[in-house]
Amino acid sequence: QVRLVESGGGFLQAGGSLRLSCAASGSSFSLDAMGWYRRAPGKQLEPVATITTGGSATYVDSVKGRFTISRDNTKNTLYLQMNSLSPEDTAVYYCRAFTSPPGWGQGTQVTVSS
């Protein structure tokens, strides 16, 4: 079963940047599609970005042009580069592996102040 550990969250002001990382172990990372999800206060979990094994990425409309998902299969690590952050991006961010059963990390908090 895949194990996922996120890191890189923090507290910052609007307009800033963060890079989240997700280290994977226990599975063939390069064979799995991966994704980032987030849960904002009082809201449901939503997909933010996904990336296929071949590197094709999709994004939710609200982050297009600001966030970039990438993966390094040699390091078994998934990334989310987040630029031009706004308070609306405040959430707990989770890494997901599209394995069977699906794998989830413990989450990392991102807080953006205005």
Side-chain angles (χ1 to χ4, degrees):
Q1 187 171 355
V2 65
R3 180 171 181 263
L4 304 172
V5 179
E6 301 99 333
S7 61
F11 180 94
L12 72 165
Q13 292 187 331
S17 298
L18 276 178
R19 189 176 80 156
L20 305 183
S21 299
C22 171
S25 61
S27 77
S28 299
F29 178 81
S30 63
L31 301 180
D32 302 320
M34 302 289 295
W36 287 99
Y37 287 63
R38 67 186 179 186
R39 189 192 305 273
K43 296 187 177 180
Q44 293 185 331
L45 188 69
E46 69 165 348
V48 174
T50 60
I51 188 167
T52 68
T53 55
S56 296
T58 59
Y59 300 92
V60 67
D61 286 346
S62 60
V63 309
K64 285 181 179 177
R66 300 188 299 122
F67 290 13
T68 302
I69 188 172
S70 63
R71 63 193 298 163
D72 186 338
N73 291 338
T74 65
K75 297 181 179 180
N76 286 358
T77 302
L78 179 73
Y79 303 100
L80 185 68
Q81 178 66 44
M82 305 186 295
N83 299 327
S84 301
L85 285 160
S86 72
E88 289 69 35
D89 297 313
T90 293
V92 179
Y93 285 73
Y94 298 91
C95 171
R96 176 185 178 179
F98 288 82
T99 51
S100 180
W104 291 91
Q106 81 289 349
T108 186
Q109 176 71 47
V110 174
T111 303
V112 185
S113 66
S114 58

